[in-house]
Amino acid sequence: MDELLIQQFRKNLRKLEKKLAIQLKEDSFCCGVTIAQCHTLLAIEAKGFTTATELALELELDKSTLSRTIDGFVITGLINRETDTDNRRSQKISLTSQGKKVTDSINVQWNLYFASLFARIPESKHQAVIESIAILSDIIPSSECCCEIKACEDLQKKEDKSDNNSKRIKNDKKK
């Protein structure tokens, strides 16, 4: 792979990462909720009715962390939590009318913000930008860094070497 291309890619990702980190820090209480709460509300909105387990998987959060967020939303009247009649151990979660107002406000604010960003991108590149971000968000693992990849590759090489030794020993025994 072209090393200059990789370096350019890394440089652009670092630039994006810095800007997003600054924005997330400054907007931590955007639209009256934290960024984590915002993501939770938007995930509930997208699903309509859901469970804490489904949300935890989608948001890649620990279920106990998500439960505290959900408890807070129930207290503030942003979501409903009802026992599932088909499975009494499960609870269905949905937005209340107040929760819908908050998510509508979030969507309006963020749509305006991203429309202003998109306006600065040539129209012929819009689809390419959307596809590239989708690909990156799918392939970047949630919890892994470059050191871990190297460690995984080293571990894989050791396992491969061990497998090869085991196969050689088995073959030697057959002879």
Side-chain angles (χ1 to χ4, degrees):
M1 189 166 287
D2 185 345
E3 192 169 322
L4 286 176
L5 194 63
I6 295 296
Q7 287 176 355
Q8 182 183 9
F9 180 68
R10 287 180 49 214
K11 181 181 175 185
N12 288 334
L13 277 181
R14 281 195 312 272
K15 189 175 172 182
L16 179 64
E17 182 182 85
K18 283 180 191 174
K19 288 184 176 187
L20 287 175
I22 291 168
Q23 187 178 46
L24 288 175
K25 190 175 180 182
E26 290 174 355
D27 291 342
S28 61
F29 282 96
C30 180
C31 304
V33 294
T34 66
I35 295 296
Q37 290 172 328
C38 175
H39 290 173
T40 303
L41 287 172
L42 293 176
I44 295 169
E45 177 194 39
K47 289 188 169 285
F49 286 91
T50 189
T51 65
T53 303
E54 290 172 344
L55 273 178
L57 285 172
E58 177 160 337
L59 297 170
E60 298 181 17
L61 291 174
D62 179 67
K63 196 173 173 184
S64 63
T65 302
L66 184 63
S67 289
R68 287 190 294 275
T69 301
I70 290 170
D71 289 344
F73 284 146
V74 169
I75 290 169
T76 57
L78 296 180
I79 65 168
N80 289 316
R81 182 173 41 198
E82 302 167 7
T83 301
D84 187 347
T85 54
D86 295 332
N87 178 2
R88 305 228 17 107
R89 293 178 15 194
S90 178
Q91 293 185 326
K92 291 284 187 184
I93 298 165
S94 62
L95 294 175
T96 62
S97 60
Q98 183 61 29
K100 181 74 177 132
K101 286 179 186 173
V102 170
T103 56
D104 287 347
S105 173
I106 291 168
N107 285 325
V108 167
Q109 293 297 319
W110 280 102
N111 285 346
L112 286 171
Y113 175 73
F114 283 105
S116 71
L117 292 180
F118 236 58
R120 296 185 220 162
I121 300 170
E123 193 171 330
S124 63
K125 304 275 185 182
H126 285 182
Q127 195 59 40
V129 169
I130 291 169
E131 288 173 10
S132 297
I133 290 175
I135 290 169
L136 279 174
S137 69
D138 286 343
I139 64 168
I140 294 176
S142 297
S143 59
E144 186 176 90
C145 73
C146 60
C147 304
E148 291 172 345
I149 291 172
K150 175 76 173 123
C152 287
E153 288 174 354
D154 290 346
L155 182 62
Q156 185 63 47
K157 285 178 185 174
K158 284 181 182 177
E159 288 174 357
D160 289 347
K161 195 173 185 178
S162 176
D163 285 347
N164 288 339
N165 286 339
S166 296
K167 287 177 186 174
R168 193 182 70 228
I169 291 169
K170 283 182 184 177
N171 286 338
D172 289 346
K173 286 182 180 179
K174 286 180 183 177
K175 292 179 184 177

